[in-house]
């Protein structure tokens, strides 16, 4: 599990976390199922644990689907500001403006138009 999270097989952070939760849930379900085998037919705490793990897994799946649908319908912008400038005339001023905006916590993209 740790190696899987460390390697980050997916591009997005949310998808990596969902993958970790899904993998952990599946491992936990296998552990519960292995403990449950060869036991009498009485409903005990191990049954409730298995149902709880399955319910958490289902909630995580529905949450991931809902988050994906929300991002598809209303995507968040990658940058707060885009500073466009002529390459030769205003490059230094545009970089200075980008620095000022970044100091205020704004994610800024610098776009230089060719002359």
């Amino acid at each position: 599990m740790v190696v899987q999270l460390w390697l980050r097989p997916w591009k997005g952070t949310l998808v990596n976390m969902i993958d970790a939760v899904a993998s952990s849930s599946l491992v936990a379900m296998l552990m519960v199922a292995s403990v449950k085998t060869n036991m009498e037919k009485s409903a005990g705490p191990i049954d409730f644990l298995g149902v709880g793990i399955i319910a958490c897994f289902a909630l995580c799946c529905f949450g991931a689907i809902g988050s994906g649908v929300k991002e598809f319908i209303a995507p968040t912008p990658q940058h707060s500001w885009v500073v466009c400038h002529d390459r030769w005339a205003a490059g230094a001023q545009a970089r200075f403006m980008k620095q000022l905006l970044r100091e205020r916590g704004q994610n800024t993209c610098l776009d230089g138009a060719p002359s």
Side-chain angles (χ1 to χ4, degrees):
M1 269 317 142
V2 174
V3 173
Q4 180 183 358
L5 285 174
W6 182 61
L7 290 176
R8 296 177 47 101
W10 306 103
K11 288 183 180 178
T13 305
L14 177 66
V15 181
N16 283 318
M17 287 299 152
I18 292 168
D19 186 30
V21 168
S23 299
S24 301
S25 298
L26 290 173
V27 168
M29 282 192 322
L30 285 172
M31 289 172 43
V32 168
S34 68
V35 171
K36 183 65 177 155
T37 55
N38 297 333
M39 294 182 79
E40 62 273 357
K41 285 287 196 181
S42 64
I46 203 76
D47 289 334
F48 294 117
L49 179 65
V51 170
I53 289 172
I54 291 171
C56 287
F57 179 69
L59 283 174
C60 287
C61 286
F62 287 131
I65 291 170
S67 175
V69 168
K70 179 199 166 280
E71 188 66 30
F72 181 75
I73 292 173
T76 55
Q78 190 173 8
H79 302 289
S80 302
W81 296 93
V82 176
V83 180
C84 297
H85 65 90
D86 183 44
R87 237 178 244 260
W88 304 111
Q93 290 88 355
R95 286 189 294 277
F96 181 65
M97 183 181 287
K98 178 180 178 180
Q99 180 183 1
L100 290 176
L101 288 169
R102 285 230 172 142
E103 287 175 359
R104 294 184 179 175
Q106 302 290 323
N107 191 6
T108 308
C109 175
L110 194 60
D111 182 26
S115 299

